[in-house]
Amino acid sequence: MHGRGRTGRSALLVMATAVSACGGGGGGGGGGGGGSVATLASRYPIDGVVDFTGLATTTATLPFQSGTHSTTFTYAIVNDDRDLYVALEWTDPTFDHGYDFTGPQDIDGVDLLIDADADGTYETGEDNRFVITATAVGAQYLDQHKSASGADVCGDGLGWLTYDAVNQRYQAELRFPLAGDAQGEDADLLAAAASGTLPRFNFIVFDHLQPTVPAGDFASLFPSDTDSSA
């Protein structure tokens, strides 16, 4: 996949306060499949602990919008024609996890935006998957795919993150199916590829997100709203 542009701060605040109709967890992952090749579902349990061994990684320094700090961000993306697996790691000196399922209060997290039709605009019918910190259970995964009705019918896939206080860094994992769900929504990531154009994407890292204030700092892998050529 290619990279797409940064979404606005106000849009992220809205997205972080919403949970899909089927809840944040979502079932999913991939099918078993035969043959000797292990599936991503069997190779990578989604526990928020990342092993980059054997994965092609990309590392970048991402400045936050405030201009006061940055994060070192590493990611890997792989698929087995069943699922898409995303492994992430980023530095953060503070563990902000004030979320108790009544609403985001003061949280960290990461957001994956997917511009499936590669037109440079994230829009209705395209995927948005993110994981945020949570007080009681450690993390919460959200599938914010924007259906035609304006709300996701069901959360598809799995996601989790962990915080390493010693190394002051987060790790996160996402895995979700490449096929559409029972409602014919979500995960049509190969639609653009059929015409020879790869889907585009962007990662948004947020720090101290406080939607009720509102406040929060954001860093993105690709900084432009219109240039999806990265």
Side-chain angles (χ1 to χ4, degrees):
M1 294 195 297
H2 291 284
R4 75 160 303 277
R6 166 163 40 193
T7 191
R9 174 176 296 192
S10 59
L12 278 172
L13 291 173
V14 171
M15 288 189 290
T17 60
V19 178
S20 63
C22 286
S36 60
V37 178
T39 64
L40 292 175
S42 65
R43 290 167 58 195
Y44 299 108
I46 304 304
D47 56 10
V49 178
V50 176
D51 180 2
F52 286 109
T53 303
L55 297 174
T57 61
T58 300
T59 299
T61 299
L62 311 184
F64 282 87
Q65 288 184 347
S66 66
T68 61
H69 61 300
S70 62
T71 182
T72 301
F73 185 79
T74 300
Y75 69 95
I77 301 174
V78 64
N79 81 81
D80 61 0
D81 295 326
R82 297 173 179 84
D83 298 313
L84 190 76
Y85 172 74
V86 182
L88 305 165
E89 182 177 280
W90 68 98
T91 55
D92 188 334
T94 60
F95 176 40
D96 307 305
H97 57 289
Y99 173 76
D100 59 7
F101 298 95
T102 63
Q105 298 163 5
D106 186 356
I107 57 175
D108 298 329
V110 64
D111 188 5
L112 168 61
L113 301 179
I114 300 172
D115 174 18
D117 62 6
D119 68 353
T121 304
Y122 175 71
E123 55 203 352
T124 297
E126 296 180 322
D127 271 346
N128 172 31
R129 313 292 180 114
F130 61 105
V131 286
I132 62 173
T133 54
T135 301
V137 296
Q140 178 79 343
Y141 163 77
L142 297 96
D143 166 14
Q144 291 296 119
H145 165 89
K146 298 162 63 178
S147 70
S149 64
D152 202 356
V153 173
C154 189
D156 303 299
L158 300 168
W160 208 251
L161 62 76
T162 56
Y163 184 70
D164 181 346
V166 174
N167 293 297
Q168 298 187 324
R169 71 185 182 196
Y170 282 101
Q171 289 191 330
E173 296 177 294
L174 298 168
R175 190 183 73 235
F176 51 90
L178 291 171
D181 62 20
Q183 303 297 323
E185 299 179 345
D186 274 343
D188 189 14
L189 305 183
L190 302 181
S195 62
T197 304
L198 292 176
R200 306 176 191 276
F201 73 99
N202 199 5
F203 290 110
I204 312 292
V205 177
F206 43 94
D207 184 30
H208 284 300
L209 180 63
Q210 303 165 70
T212 58
V213 175
D217 218 349
F218 301 89
S220 61
L221 183 62
F222 302 117
S224 172
D225 285 322
T226 57
D227 179 8
S228 297
S229 62

